[in-house]
Amino acid sequence: MSLSLDSIRSLADNHLKPSHLRFQYGTAGFRTLGAHLDSVMFRVGLLAGLRSKKLDGKTIGVMVTASHNPEADNGVKLVDPRGEMLEASWEAHATVLANVTTTDQLISALEQLVSSLRIDLSKPANVVYARDTRPSGVALVSSLEDGFRALNVEARNAGITTTPILHYLVRAINTKGTAESYGEDTEEGYMAKLSNAFKKLVAGKPASPPLIIDCANGVGTQAARELGQYLGNSLSLILLNTDTTTLGVLNNACGADFVKTQQKLPPSLVSHLRPGQRGCSLDGDADRLMYYYLDDRGQFHMLDGDKIAALVAAFIVDLVKSAGLEGEIRLGVVQTAYANGGSTKYLSERLPVRCVSTGVKHLHHAAEHYDIGVYFEANGHGTVLFSPETQVKLANHQPRTPAQSTALNHLNNLVQVINQTVGDALSDMLLVEAVLAHRSYSGVEWDSLYVDLPNRLVKVVVTDRGAFKTEDAERRLVSPPGLQAKIDDIVRKYEGGRSFVRPSGTEDVVRVYAEARIRAQADELAFRVAGLVFDEAGGDPAQRPAEFI
């Protein structure tokens, strides 16, 4: 069996690649201005079909989103059969297909891919796809569907939904009817699985005060609304920033990325959050989560991914001990260089901690090496992985005491409430709320687990982010030559100082992270390193941000 060249050719001619653009499949898939992605979408449709055929017809996921990026951006990423990120070797295939210029070159690249990977074209191709609420999504999904048509892919449209729900659907579809069944392969199945497990976890606990949720005016709005109905009286949700139709409001001065980068409350929440009350922010596709609270003086306190990791990891450590499984289950935490030094110290005193390069695939892969692996990026993206063997052990372990039985039940319910396929803001929110209920913590007690070292994250716009190369889990620069030594010289002047520079995987910027013992010094260190990077990268002096030192 061969490719349907006539069908591919006729449809491909409607989605020609702009000659002046180059696309790169990275950690977040393809991501750029939505107006530039028409040809990419068509080719991703083709690639998803071939990926499914290569895997004997297993269902592949395709998510059209740009997550926390500005509304004008959009993107697309593929999801492998267990709900995980696309296999790394296929990222290169995606990049090749996205960048061939003509239809003839595209067909040649497809034939080369089929030949080199020995793809059996007689196999079926199955895909499930969805998009977020961005206005550009409608046309881009139409281009994607043309790609499906060109390969005669059996495609299921999951409509407008969150990225984590799409990941859930992929695993649920592929495990349906097996011993590893992940749940009913519908959005309702997702809601029921998470809410039922949460209700069991908090049964008998005093009801928590209502939780304010900043939905970033994104796709998490509808999902949070539905989840609230499933939760009923077990957790009261107050949804804000729920406008998914007005142009320009998505992720604008709201959402998880705003909270993390600005380190302040979204302006739209100022009149809603009261002292002592906790709130949280989702990002544009609901895969990141940031918590915060106001203290008695009305002061804002951020509880980021590091704080979530500390809260959750310590709770699971205690449950494993209480269940009588200490020594039988290996726990570990995976962080990136962005993790606050305070959190690394706190966690290292309780369980193994490993640092890896930024990006979900690196964290997820490292977490799989533990029986229970906790990973959260400081930006609020993360989850907990229970190995298949550990899930079997938890399901079959015979407790010796009522206390062990209770702890074991909690662990088994955690397995259900956590979306193990990917970071999931709503799942993580329920996880956090369950732990807070068990610990009887307010935001104040949670925050006091450890003291964050003051830190600052600064974006530096550069002409070529590719010129910046890193090593040591992205904590040190190897290129441009000599720049790391200059950064080291600056860092040495600050007590408890730490700073690193890395190119963004999603934007044409370089990110500078800095921390120090005192807030003013952390800010000064960040802006001093940012100024150095801007100047060394050949930045236009007329465009140099005023705060850069």
Side-chain angles (χ1 to χ4, degrees):
M1 190 171 179
S2 60
L3 291 167
S4 178
L5 299 185
D6 289 343
S7 176
I8 293 172
R9 188 180 298 279
S10 64
L11 288 164
D13 285 343
N14 297 326
H15 305 284
L16 298 176
K17 176 188 174 292
S19 58
H20 65 290
L21 295 176
R22 174 167 174 78
F23 304 102
Q24 178 72 42
Y25 195 104
T27 301
F30 293 111
R31 191 176 291 181
T32 186
L33 285 170
H36 292 165
L37 283 168
D38 172 66
S39 64
V40 170
M41 291 294 166
F42 174 73
R43 294 163 189 210
V44 165
L46 296 170
L47 188 71
L50 292 178
R51 179 69 177 155
S52 178
K53 287 176 181 288
K54 175 63 179 173
L55 298 177
D56 292 326
K58 284 192 168 64
T59 296
I60 298 298
V62 180
M63 185 69 202
V64 180
T65 182
S67 189
H68 57 281
N69 280 35
E71 189 174 287
D73 288 352
N74 216 323
V76 61
K77 65 177 181 177
L78 282 82
V79 180
D80 263 356
R82 292 189 58 79
E84 73 273 46
M85 310 294 284
L86 177 66
E87 183 185 305
S89 65
W90 277 67
E91 294 181 7
H93 304 321
T95 299
V96 168
L97 284 189
N99 287 294
V100 291
T101 306
T102 67
T103 298
D104 284 341
Q105 289 172 343
L106 174 61
I107 289 173
S108 176
L110 288 169
E111 290 176 330
Q112 171 63 29
L113 192 59
V114 170
S115 172
S116 64
L117 296 179
R118 295 186 175 89
I119 297 173
D120 183 351
L121 294 175
S122 68
K123 297 284 187 180
N126 295 286
V127 171
V128 59
Y129 63 105
R131 69 176 178 92
D132 68 13
T133 55
R134 289 164 199 272
S136 60
V138 178
L140 293 178
V141 162
S142 178
S143 305
L144 178 70
E145 290 168 339
D146 274 357
F148 297 153
R149 271 189 284 275
L151 269 190
N152 198 29
V153 172
E154 188 70 35
R156 170 180 162 182
N157 187 352
I160 297 174
T161 195
T162 71
T163 294
I165 289 176
L166 189 275
H167 282 255
Y168 166 89
L169 289 175
V170 173
R171 184 183 284 196
I173 291 167
N174 286 305
T175 58
K176 198 172 187 176
T178 73
E180 291 189 328
S181 175
Y182 197 57
E184 182 188 321
D185 61 330
T186 63
E187 192 164 309
E188 293 75 19
Y190 165 93
M191 298 291 174
K193 179 183 180 181
L194 268 61
S195 59
N196 289 339
F198 177 78
K199 289 174 183 176
K200 291 175 183 176
L201 280 165
V202 299
K205 302 293 179 187
S208 298
L211 173 67
I212 284 180
I213 305 179
D214 159 25
C215 297
N217 297 312
V219 71
T221 299
Q222 183 57 32
R225 196 171 279 142
E226 287 181 41
L227 182 60
Q229 293 173 352
Y230 276 84
L231 290 169
N233 295 330
S234 64
L235 180 63
S236 177
L237 308 179
I238 301 171
L239 307 186
L240 300 174
N241 293 326
T242 58
D243 184 354
T244 59
T245 56
T246 302
L247 292 179
V249 298
L250 174 66
N251 294 325
N252 188 356
C254 62
D257 195 53
F258 174 88
V259 172
K260 179 59 179 172
T261 56
Q262 301 299 314
Q263 300 188 19
K264 65 181 182 182
L265 195 65
S268 49
L269 268 65
V270 169
S271 62
H272 295 276
L273 197 68
R274 299 282 176 253
Q277 192 174 14
R278 75 209 183 291
C280 64
S281 288
L282 321 178
D283 70 336
D285 67 339
D287 67 352
R288 292 185 182 188
L289 178 72
M290 297 294 293
Y291 262 80
Y292 36 80
Y293 70 97
L294 299 183
D295 64 22
D296 292 340
R297 295 172 295 126
Q299 187 76 32
F300 171 80
H301 295 266
M302 181 174 70
L303 298 158
D304 63 5
D306 294 339
K307 290 282 186 180
I308 295 173
L311 178 76
V312 168
F315 182 65
I316 293 175
V317 165
D318 289 349
L319 283 182
V320 168
K321 287 179 182 175
S322 299
L325 290 167
E326 188 178 13
E328 293 185 44
I329 291 178
R330 295 178 306 110
L331 285 90
V333 172
V334 185
Q335 296 184 321
T336 72
Y338 285 118
N340 191 278
S343 77
T344 305
K345 182 176 184 295
Y346 173 85
L347 287 164
S348 297
E349 292 167 354
R350 287 159 179 79
L351 69 172
V353 177
R354 183 179 172 194
C355 183
V356 298
S357 297
T358 304
V360 182
K361 59 187 176 185
H362 302 299
L363 289 141
H364 197 93
H365 181 68
E368 287 178 325
H369 288 92
Y370 297 106
D371 296 330
I372 302 178
V374 179
Y375 76 82
F376 278 88
E377 293 181 281
N379 63 25
H381 186 285
T383 188
V384 183
L385 303 182
F386 293 78
S387 72
E389 297 78 14
T390 299
Q391 292 185 47
V392 170
K393 181 177 287 186
L394 293 175
N396 297 326
H397 183 67
Q398 295 300 313
R400 294 194 181 93
T401 67
Q404 287 187 358
S405 178
T406 298
L408 198 60
N409 284 334
H410 291 332
L411 284 167
N412 280 309
N413 285 319
L414 284 183
V415 170
Q416 299 302 313
V417 85
I418 294 166
N419 185 351
Q420 297 182 55
T421 63
V422 73
D424 181 339
L426 295 176
S427 164
D428 292 339
M429 177 191 79
L430 294 182
L431 173 59
V432 166
E433 290 298 316
V435 179
L436 294 179
H438 277 259
R439 299 293 209 201
S440 298
Y441 282 174
S442 68
V444 176
E445 286 87 15
W446 175 11
D447 199 17
S448 66
L449 291 178
Y450 65 85
V451 177
D452 266 324
L453 288 171
N455 60 89
R456 173 69 68 181
L457 183 62
V458 180
K459 294 180 183 180
V460 183
V461 178
V462 295
T463 53
D464 180 18
R465 61 176 163 161
F468 290 79
K469 309 289 185 187
T470 63
E471 63 180 3
D472 187 24
E474 300 183 312
R475 288 177 284 193
R476 297 189 65 78
L477 281 175
V478 293
S479 175
L483 184 53
Q484 184 62 53
K486 294 179 181 178
I487 294 171
D488 291 342
D489 287 342
I490 294 174
V491 169
R492 274 192 284 270
K493 298 172 183 174
Y494 295 85
E495 183 185 356
R498 181 169 76 95
S499 183
F500 65 90
V501 176
R502 61 172 288 273
S504 167
T506 57
E507 301 174 79
D508 291 322
V509 299
V510 168
R511 302 187 192 277
V512 173
Y513 177 88
E515 63 185 31
R517 298 280 181 212
I518 302 169
R519 158 63 56 198
Q521 290 195 345
D523 291 344
E524 183 182 300
L525 175 56
F527 290 130
R528 197 174 289 282
V529 173
L532 173 67
V533 169
F534 185 89
D535 297 340
E536 292 281 329
D540 179 0
Q543 300 295 319
R544 196 178 197 271
E547 64 270 21
F548 287 8
I549 300 172

